[in-house]
Each structure stands twice: as C-alpha cells, then as structure tokens.
Amino acid sequence: MFSKKFLSGAALTALSLAATAGVANAQSTASQIQEEETIVVTGARRTIDGAMYAEQAARARSTITDEFIQTQTGGQTILQSVNLAPGVNFTNNDGYGASGGSINLRGFDGNRVSLTFDGIQLNDSGNYAIFSSQLLDPELISRANVNLGTAEVDSPTASAVGGTVNFVTRRPSEDMGGMVSVALGDDALFRTFGMFETGEFWGGTTAFLAASYQQYDLFRGPGEIQRIQYNGRVFHPLEGDDFVSLSFFYNQGRNTFFRRFNKASFLTDTTPVNFETCTRDAPTNGAIDNDGSGSSSNINDPASCGDYFGVRFNPVDVGNIRGQSRFSLTDSLTLTIDPSFSYTMANGGGTQIISETDQRLRVGALSGGVDLNGDGDVLDTDTTPFNTTFSGVRLYSPNNTNTRRWGLFTGLIWDLNEDHRFRVNYTLDRAFHRQTGEFGFLAADGDPASIWGGKDGWGDDPIRTLSGSALQRRNRDSVAELQQWSAEYTGDFGDMFTVNLGLRAPQFTREL
C-alpha cells in the first residue's frame, strides 16, 4: 500500500511594523540566522520579569527565556514551562513531568501541534503524537518558543495545523566549570543532575557533558517512574560567525501506568488503582487451567492480573544525534546544513489470554496445540461452543515500535543588501518503522520475563507456534517521508514597515 499527499503550500504574506531586532527563536540554523540578524522585525521588549519576550513578529509567537525555565522544578518537562504562553494549555499526568501529559494550542490537540528540538521533528512519525516525558533536561534549554498557527517556513512538519512548539539546546560555555543539583520531594522523589563544561580548547572549541537520574512513586496506586538521561554538545567556531556543532541526546524511561477513570468514579471517590500483587492460576497437568477467570486450582481471582501494575508498564529508549553548521560562501551568501538521526524503541505493556489451541499457534493445522504454561498438556482452553469467556494462559503482549529516523535541513541565504534578504530551504524527514507484537512469558508472580516480550534480540525467547514461527499480534513495516522546499523574502522598507513573505511546498508520502 502506498499513499501520497501534497500538503497545502503556504505561509501567508505578512506585514508588520518595524521594530528592533530580537533573539533567535527558531530551531534550524538557517531559521536562527534569519531571526538573529538586525533585518528581522522581532520585538525584544521583555515582560514578566524577563521570563517571556513580548514579540512583534509577523506571526503570533511567544518566547520563554532560560531565566524562567531555570526557576521551574528540576526534571520538569519544557511543555510545562510554555504554559506561560497565551493560547497554550498543557496538563501533566503528575507533578514532576516524567509520566507524560497532553498539550493543546488554541484548541488543537498534540497530534496537530509540531514539536521540534534544534530543528528536528519530535512528533511520532506514525501518528504525530507528542511524548512530553521524553524531552531534553530543562537545565540544557536556552529558550523555547510557541508559534500559534504558522510555523517557520522550513519547519519539518506534516501536521502543524494548530501551531509549533520549539526549543533550543544551550551553547557550551567558554569557561571550564560544572554544576550538580539534587531534588527531593513527595512520593519519594529523587533527582540528580550533573554537567561538566570543558571550556575552550583546540582553537576555541567548547563542549559539555550532562547526565541526570530521576525516580519517584506514582501518586495514585503502586508503581514508580524512572528516567535516565545523557546529553552532550561540541561546538567549534570557524571564521567569523561560522561554526560546526554536534550534539547527542539519550533518554531511557521505565514508567508504570496508573489506571484511568471517569467522572462518575471521581465523584463517588471510587477511583480504581492497579493491583499490587498477581496470583496466577497454578499449572496443573490434566486439568483445564484458566488464567482469565479462575479455576478450582486458584482460590484467588487471576483476572486481576490484567490490572497488575507490573504489566502496566511503558519502557522507552529514545535518542538522537544532531549536527548544525554555518558556512559563509561569500560576503552575501550563507549555507547552513543540519543533519540528524533519531532512534526509538518503546512499547506500552499489557497482557492477553491465549488458548493453547489458538489458531495462531496451529497456523492452519487441524489439530494440536502448544503447551504455554509448562503443565505438560494443551488442555488450557475453552472448548464450549460460542462461549465468549477468554480461557487459557495469560501472556505478556507488548506492541513494540522501533523507529529509525533521518533528517536533513539545509538553507541558502542571500543578502542582496542590508535591507533585503532571500532564503531557500530544503527539508527531509524520513522515518522507518518496525512494529511488532511478539508475545512473552509471565512469571508466577505476574512479572514479564522481559519488558520487550519475545522481541528477537531484545527480550526473552519468543513463544513458538507449531510451525516454529514467533507468536505475535502484529508484524509490519512502514516508511514515512516528508520532503519540503521553501522560500522566504524579508525586506526592510524604512521606518514604516517590513515585509516577510514565505512559501512552503511540502510533499508527504507513507509506504505501508
């Protein structure tokens, strides 16, 4: 299956009153140059004690400064900080930011909001979802900005109907030094963050290395949140304003879910929580064991194992490598090249009751089955016709998603003179998805043998069907690719007005 979509090409013509130049608040190198130069009409008047810029650009935009970001709770997601911006509504799943949340911009949900990090796209390339718990440590963010409705002309997005949220990694310091911070709090919160700055070496090169560890208990029900993160950046200046830079980011999350509930449960103070323990049906040779609704061999209710906190688990390993560079080809012509590579491995846990004579185990065979619980028989199934009760053995059933994503953002900037600038950009965002659902075994206490199920090379040995293949609930590949050309003109016509014209021509394809 192959689908192609031509997205509407269009940042609208914009006029604004001339103002003083402001800070850079886009993400790609080309966009940062565009907004750093004095020709750009971005107001730099500060409000709220330096926490946010009151901008006067050709689009509705707010910029949150590092002065405000550094006053927030250690480890908090940057999306909590952009709540300060008008039109933004972000709700955290907990008080510390590592278990996710939801964002809305002017009523559009997160799937319709583009989230970028030094220019690279962070929305899931499959469904455009935003994962707020997998973002850069706030100590390393120099600024974050929100565009309401209109993205930068080179933004690598196919879904930004509602707007964009962008944040930028800080530049390493020219002086050697470092910092360590420790945070303690309710729900057994412990977080530590450390960073080392090399200072200048080898012709002005600067770098930093940073790491953090965060852990705390769920505020409702059993389970905990754990996050480990590593970051680094090397910045090497060239002649004039030119430079090359390489950064890396790695985030490992091991989070337990809490159960959702509705308004009626909340009003009656009967909000459900996951179970702290799980007692599975003991395997018995010659008997029909039932991990789904109980049997004579189990005095407890094994159906509760589906809501056991040990299987309501979200492991995620995500990382990226980001390059940024600027080269002055002539006095008036500048080239920027920003390559990137991102990697993700994640699932959302879960269990499923499988009959030992399930058709997927037999793979076309007319009889037989697979002993899933080691009791020496294949009787653990429901043979009653039209019975809707799921009987059999409980297995761990995570849906694993493995993504490899390549990006390239390059721009050519031509300054005709000090008042007129032309810019042409090319953007590529290509993501390879491998989505599998290999079943895995559960221990007697309900814990999975591996958090990755039976994924080959990652988890436990896969459960084999009669034909020897792995038992799985899904197995598919997909490739999502965005290619985009864009152009922009900025002209300063004296004290009366400045013109900023932009055109995007994105083409999106998805191969399934």
Side-chain angles (χ1 to χ4, degrees), residues 219-250:
F219 71 91
R220 184 167 61 84
E224 67 178 18
I225 306 294
Q226 184 185 88
R227 180 170 62 183
I228 302 172
Q229 191 171 123
Y230 302 97
N231 288 280
R233 185 177 186 185
V234 179
F235 183 93
H236 181 69
L238 302 175
E239 185 176 351
D241 293 326
D242 295 348
F243 69 92
V244 291
S245 174
L246 184 66
S247 307
F248 74 87
F249 163 86
Y250 176 75

Side-chain angles (χ1 to χ4, degrees), residues 186-467:
D186 293 340
D187 300 317
L189 169 70
F190 173 77
R191 179 181 185 267
T192 181
F193 171 87
M195 177 174 62
F196 171 68
E197 301 263 14
T198 65
E200 288 191 353
F201 67 98
W202 190 47
T205 300
T206 56
F208 71 74
L209 291 172
S212 67
Y213 175 82
Q214 183 178 27
Q215 180 175 321
Y216 55 93
D217 296 334
L218 290 184
F219 71 91
R220 184 167 61 84
E224 67 178 18
I225 306 294
Q226 184 185 88
R227 180 170 62 183
I228 302 172
Q229 191 171 123
Y230 302 97
N231 288 280
R233 185 177 186 185
V234 179
F235 183 93
H236 181 69
L238 302 175
E239 185 176 351
D241 293 326
D242 295 348
F243 69 92
V244 291
S245 174
L246 184 66
S247 307
F248 74 87
F249 163 86
Y250 176 75
N251 183 96
Q252 181 186 87
R254 299 293 183 264
N255 297 349
T256 308
F257 293 119
F258 53 80
R259 291 181 67 180
R260 301 288 183 174
F261 59 92
N262 56 28
K263 181 180 178 181
S265 296
F266 177 77
L267 293 177
T268 57
D269 197 25
T270 57
T271 54
V273 296
N274 287 322
F275 294 96
E276 292 190 44
T277 60
C278 166
T279 304
R280 299 184 60 200
D281 198 355
T284 305
N285 180 261
I288 300 177
D289 302 312
N290 188 346
D291 247 347
S293 57
S295 71
S296 58
S297 64
N298 188 0
I299 61 174
N300 297 304
D301 181 9
S304 67
C305 291
D307 288 318
Y308 169 54
F309 83 95
V311 297
R312 296 300 180 184
F313 196 60
N314 174 215
V316 57
D317 294 339
V318 57
N320 61 56
I321 299 175
R322 313 178 305 281
Q324 292 183 290
S325 60
R326 167 178 173 159
F327 306 99
S328 297
L329 305 181
T330 69
D331 290 342
S332 61
L333 196 63
T334 302
L335 173 68
T336 67
I337 304 175
D338 297 355
S340 66
F341 172 74
S342 302
Y343 178 88
T344 301
M345 177 69 182
N347 71 53
T351 67
Q352 187 173 333
I353 304 297
I354 299 295
S355 165
E356 291 185 326
T357 57
D358 188 287
Q359 181 62 44
R360 289 170 291 181
L361 291 169
R362 293 184 291 165
V363 193
L366 297 177
S367 62
V370 175
D371 182 7
L372 295 175
N373 60 359
D375 64 357
D377 63 44
V378 290
L379 300 176
D380 306 322
T381 183
D382 187 0
T383 59
T384 305
F386 309 111
N387 193 336
T388 58
T389 301
F390 291 100
S391 301
V393 179
R394 186 177 297 278
L395 300 176
Y396 193 53
S397 58
N399 276 329
N400 294 307
T401 297
N402 188 202
T403 303
R404 292 173 173 84
R405 193 171 189 174
W406 302 87
L408 175 65
F409 317 100
T410 182
L412 194 61
I413 302 172
W414 176 40
D415 289 318
L416 178 62
N417 53 47
E418 64 179 11
D419 296 324
H420 299 279
R421 165 174 288 172
F422 297 88
R423 176 181 164 204
V424 178
N425 313 281
Y426 172 74
T427 300
L428 171 67
D429 180 28
R430 183 175 176 85
F432 299 84
H433 293 269
R434 185 77 175 96
Q435 296 177 304
T436 57
E438 302 92 338
F439 285 86
F441 289 105
L442 295 172
D445 61 1
D447 288 333
S450 168
I451 59 175
W452 306 109
K455 184 169 178 62
D456 185 29
W458 284 81
D460 195 15
D461 291 334
I463 297 171
R464 299 296 179 181
T465 67
L466 286 177
S467 66

Side-chain angles (χ1 to χ4, degrees), residues 34-239:
Q34 171 70 4
E35 296 194 5
E36 281 174 346
E37 304 295 341
T38 57
I39 191 173
V40 178
V41 285
T42 301
R45 178 175 56 86
R46 291 191 173 192
T47 62
I48 318 178
D49 296 325
M52 183 170 70
Y53 287 106
E55 298 203 24
Q56 298 169 336
R59 59 176 69 93
R61 177 170 55 211
S62 300
T63 296
I64 310 300
T65 71
D66 61 342
E67 296 174 61
F68 177 74
I69 295 171
Q70 303 312 320
T71 65
Q72 302 304 289
T73 302
Q76 186 58 263
T77 172
I78 186 61
L79 296 185
Q80 179 66 34
S81 298
V82 301
N83 250 342
L84 185 69
V88 179
N89 181 21
F90 175 74
T91 54
N92 251 329
N93 285 343
D94 63 39
Y96 299 123
S99 63
S102 301
I103 189 170
N104 281 266
L105 257 65
R106 289 183 171 175
F108 290 96
D109 63 19
N111 292 23
R112 294 163 180 82
V113 176
S114 173
L115 179 63
T116 61
F117 167 22
D118 289 345
I120 71 174
Q121 184 72 60
L122 295 182
N123 294 69
D124 185 271
S125 53
N127 62 3
Y128 311 115
I130 287 175
F131 301 103
S132 63
S133 62
Q134 302 169 18
L135 305 182
L136 184 68
D137 280 329
E139 291 90 345
L140 304 176
I141 297 176
S142 64
R143 59 187 176 273
N145 75 303
V146 180
N147 289 323
L148 299 172
T150 303
E152 279 86 9
V153 72
D154 64 344
S155 287
T157 176
S159 64
V161 178
T164 64
V165 177
N166 316 300
F167 60 94
V168 178
T169 306
R170 65 184 297 274
R171 183 175 296 185
S173 173
E174 296 178 356
D175 301 318
M176 181 180 290
M179 66 170 290
V180 175
S181 65
V182 177
L184 303 173
D186 293 340
D187 300 317
L189 169 70
F190 173 77
R191 179 181 185 267
T192 181
F193 171 87
M195 177 174 62
F196 171 68
E197 301 263 14
T198 65
E200 288 191 353
F201 67 98
W202 190 47
T205 300
T206 56
F208 71 74
L209 291 172
S212 67
Y213 175 82
Q214 183 178 27
Q215 180 175 321
Y216 55 93
D217 296 334
L218 290 184
F219 71 91
R220 184 167 61 84
E224 67 178 18
I225 306 294
Q226 184 185 88
R227 180 170 62 183
I228 302 172
Q229 191 171 123
Y230 302 97
N231 288 280
R233 185 177 186 185
V234 179
F235 183 93
H236 181 69
L238 302 175
E239 185 176 351

